[in-house]
Amino acid sequence: MSRSGVRRVTWRALRARRRELAALGGWSLVESLPALLAGYLVARAVDEGFLAGRLVNGLAWLGVLGVAVLVGAAATGRTYRSLGAVVEPFRDEVAAQVVRGALRDATRADGRPDSAAVTRLTHQMEIVRDTFAGLLMVTRGFLFSAGAALLGLLALAPVVAALAAAPLLAGLVVFLAALPAMVTHQRAYVRAGEQLGQSAATALAGHRDVLACGAQARVTADVERWVSAQAAAERRLARMAAIRSLSLGIGGWLPLLVLMVAAPWLVERGLTAGAVLGALIYVSTGLQPALHTLVQGLGGGGLRYAVTLENILRTYPESDDQRPSAPAVRPPTGPAGRSPAAEVRGLTFSYGPRARPVLQNFSLTLADRDHLAVVGPSGAGKSTLAALMAGLVPPQAGTVHLAGATVAEVDPAVLARMRVLVPQEAYVFTGTLADNLRYLRPDADEQTLEVALDALGARPLATRLGGLGAPVAPALLSAGERQLIAAARAWLAPAPLVLLDEATCHLDPALEATVEAAFAQRSGSLVVIAHRISSALRADRVLVLDGGEPVVGTHEQLLARSATYRALVGRWDDDSVVPSRAGSARPG
């Protein structure tokens, strides 16, 4: 992400909050009243009051200035409130972008968790927020304070305004011309620091191996190289600080010198002593502080803002709502030519180049509204198959298709709407019960949530918790209660394919039967990694994985064809009631 990306994101955030910015500008205008009136009122107090021997008039003019200061102070509090209305939503947007990017990278087929995301959400995010707020404050402060001072000078005498404005503009030009170089050097300094930290951490973590291999000199030289790079970058930044001081001298102090040198000439042209004093006040209390704040703010916090936000945007270039929406992938709606709900073709997967394949040249077709149970001994590849079908891990060979689309080619946001995987360890987050249920279907109304509770037998749990609006504390729930909430959440999801990976193992047999029956009646297809034999009996078909050739068939067919299935049935002990279509549960 280039600097243009930082500008684009910043301007987008500002355009989205034009009303809040207008409020900030309005209160800033009120706040700048003392800067606008100070020199003029002091000039009147001197010329029409103290020098004229009218003490009361002089004090009256200064009293007006005091009132203006009080009004400006009252407006200052309002400016900070308006500033928060601009800055905090922007911080939330960038934080959401980091979270979405980290989750996208971690859940894609070849992704992995990003350990640096926490740093970006804490330290770097605070830098972005604070420096963004600082930039707004110094920019609006300069515009209103310097503008008010120039207007005041113009009211005193146009020639005085010209004498002060010329060096001010020259100082601004010097600073703005050096600003791109400052950004470049700040970026180099930050990156050198990151490389130094990484190099030092690697050296410390592997110090035993370094000593054993006699590589101390090489490792030390590598660390020293980055120390030198960071020191050089810091020296360049120090030279940039000299340029900032130069611009402050030209734009802030030179106007004072020019006015003092030109004072006799100005008096000869009819300018009063009060007007000269007022002009000096405008420069010393208006122009000079405004320029100083702008230069220090842009040269310090502004550089940190640009480099830090650029680093975040480079890592997570676009949020999901910024990129063009991918077309929804749906199977044909007509009965003819309908794509299978899921199709696995020539799938091969192993957990290492020398490991025995968990699945090898495996193919399977899951029709619409199909109900498949997967059984097999521990380690046979049942959960691996579920992860492959969900697109969480990539196969070494073969393809997985959902609704006719290749999983590896589907955008993660679209893939999330095509399938839902419920693992054995169900995740429930702190919040209300309704929040947990709506996680995969945010638009579900309360009536829909009530239907889900009744369909999955979760009404007693909801009653015990206190209803849909009751807070949920995950640590106070049993494993079975967490599984029941996760199952109801998945049942509400719009995804046409549901994969239950032993997702009901902590439920009693009767409640497990209720949950699986609810999913079987739900539109879409269902894959159950079976924990009990009753799950296999309820399914349309059963897939047996035992490390050899996978076998698919009905319960009766597998009893005749698969020794592994017969052994599994013999070991299972399940007395739950099984729907009549699958027959009664067999004793273990």
Side-chain angles (χ1 to χ4, degrees):
M1 175 66 68
S2 64
R3 279 170 286 177
S4 63
V6 174
R7 288 195 294 268
R8 184 174 63 253
V9 169
T10 304
W11 282 118
R12 184 169 62 237
L14 295 176
R15 287 197 303 270
R17 293 167 187 88
R18 288 187 290 267
R19 180 179 301 176
E20 291 81 1
L21 282 174
L24 177 62
W27 288 114
S28 298
L29 183 62
V30 177
E31 186 187 24
S32 66
L33 278 177
L36 176 65
L37 299 176
Y40 180 81
L41 293 175
V42 167
R44 299 284 75 77
V46 170
D47 292 335
E48 300 177 11
F50 304 125
L51 289 181
R54 300 172 183 174
L55 179 63
V56 175
N57 283 356
L59 293 176
W61 283 112
L62 293 182
V64 175
L65 178 59
V67 173
V69 170
L70 292 176
V71 172
T76 299
R78 293 289 185 175
T79 61
Y80 279 97
R81 182 177 299 180
S82 301
L83 178 70
V86 177
V87 172
E88 295 303 324
F90 174 65
R91 189 273 309 268
D92 294 343
E93 289 175 1
V94 178
Q97 181 166 335
V98 172
V99 172
R100 284 194 295 266
L103 292 175
R104 183 173 63 243
D105 292 345
T107 56
R108 68 185 183 209
D110 57 344
R112 62 182 60 187
D114 181 8
S115 58
V118 175
T119 301
R120 297 188 183 97
L121 276 174
T122 53
H123 178 63
Q124 294 187 14
M125 193 59 56
E126 291 306 306
I127 290 177
V128 169
R129 181 187 67 171
D130 293 345
T131 52
F132 181 60
L135 283 175
L136 285 178
M137 291 300 285
V138 300
T139 302
R140 65 98 208 180
F142 175 78
L143 292 176
F144 286 95
S145 297
L150 288 174
L151 286 176
L153 287 170
L154 194 62
L156 286 176
V159 65
V160 174
L163 289 174
L168 173 68
L169 292 177
L172 276 177
V173 169
V174 170
F175 173 70
L176 294 177
L179 194 58
M182 293 180 188
V183 173
T184 300
H185 295 319
Q186 179 72 26
R187 185 186 301 111
Y189 174 74
V190 171
R191 292 180 180 175
E194 291 176 349
Q195 292 292 340
L196 174 59
Q198 182 179 359
S199 177
T202 302
L204 290 174
H207 69 281
R208 294 182 179 178
D209 294 333
V210 171
L211 290 174
C213 298
Q216 299 96 316
R218 178 180 176 183
V219 173
T220 301
D222 182 66
V223 176
E224 286 179 347
R225 179 165 60 90
W226 289 113
V227 170
S228 300
Q230 188 183 38
E234 192 160 7
R235 284 192 294 270
R236 287 191 292 269
L237 280 179
R239 288 195 290 270
M240 293 296 103
I243 295 179
R244 291 203 298 269
S245 298
L246 175 63
S247 65
L248 284 174
I250 295 174
W253 291 103
L254 189 57
L256 280 175
L257 180 61
V258 169
L259 287 178
M260 287 188 291
V261 171
W265 177 74
L266 292 172
V267 171
E268 290 178 0
R269 292 176 60 87
L271 201 67
T272 64
V276 173
L277 179 60
L280 292 175
I281 288 176
Y282 274 129
V283 173
S284 61
T285 65
L287 292 182
Q288 188 184 76
L291 181 63
H292 182 274
T293 303
L294 179 71
V295 169
Q296 295 299 336
L298 290 181
L303 298 183
R304 290 195 297 275
Y305 170 78
V307 173
T308 305
L309 183 57
E310 178 183 325
N311 184 52
I312 291 175
L313 297 178
R314 185 177 64 249
T315 306
Y316 308 118
E318 291 182 333
S319 60
D320 294 338
D321 55 358
Q322 291 172 322
R323 65 177 59 186
S325 301
V329 179
R330 296 187 178 92
T333 56
R338 181 187 294 272
S339 299
E343 188 174 9
V344 174
R345 301 175 185 171
L347 205 63
T348 297
F349 179 84
S350 63
Y351 285 100
R354 300 183 182 276
R356 180 182 63 84
V358 179
L359 296 168
Q360 188 167 17
N361 197 28
F362 173 70
S363 297
L364 173 72
T365 299
L366 191 68
D368 185 41
R369 298 192 65 85
D370 207 349
H371 181 178
L372 176 73
V374 183
V375 302
S378 179
K382 304 185 298 296
S383 294
T384 300
L385 175 61
L388 288 164
M389 293 182 69
L392 299 183
V393 294
Q396 277 83 38
T399 55
V400 178
H401 302 266
L402 297 182
T406 304
V407 166
E409 299 174 356
V410 176
D411 184 88
V414 178
L415 185 60
R417 299 193 293 269
M418 299 172 68
R419 89 289 184 259
V420 56
L421 171 64
V422 186
Q424 179 178 346
E425 294 301 324
Y427 179 73
V428 175
F429 55 84
T430 301
T432 66
L433 179 59
D435 292 336
N436 274 275
L437 297 180
R438 287 193 179 105
Y439 184 71
L440 298 177
R441 189 176 172 184
D443 60 340
D445 56 25
E446 287 198 6
Q447 182 178 359
T448 303
L449 301 184
E450 299 283 357
V451 171
L453 293 175
D454 292 332
L456 280 86
R459 174 65 62 186
L461 172 60
T463 301
R464 184 183 74 77
L465 293 176
L468 290 171
V472 173
L476 301 181
L477 298 176
S478 68
E481 289 172 333
R482 290 196 296 271
Q483 284 190 334
L484 193 56
I485 292 175
R489 177 195 301 154
W491 189 84
L492 285 164
L497 174 64
V498 175
L499 302 123
L500 302 180
D501 186 3
E502 296 197 14
T504 57
C505 63
H506 295 298
L507 303 180
D508 61 66
L511 189 52
E512 180 184 61
T514 301
V515 170
E516 290 186 8
F519 275 102
Q521 295 169 6
R522 173 185 180 274
S523 61
S525 303
L526 175 65
V527 175
V528 179
I529 308 300
H531 175 70
R532 298 183 177 97
I533 186 59
S534 55
S535 296
L537 293 172
R538 282 187 286 266
D540 299 324
R541 293 184 299 158
V542 181
L543 168 64
V544 180
L545 298 177
D546 59 1
E549 185 71 22
V551 183
V552 181
T554 64
H555 171 73
E556 289 76 13
Q557 290 171 342
L558 292 177
L559 285 175
R561 294 167 49 195
S562 173
T564 299
Y565 188 71
R566 289 194 297 271
L568 289 172
V569 170
R571 284 200 299 268
W572 260 318
D573 183 16
D574 193 313
D575 298 326
S576 65
V577 177
V578 182
S580 58
R581 72 169 187 171
S584 61
R586 300 172 185 239

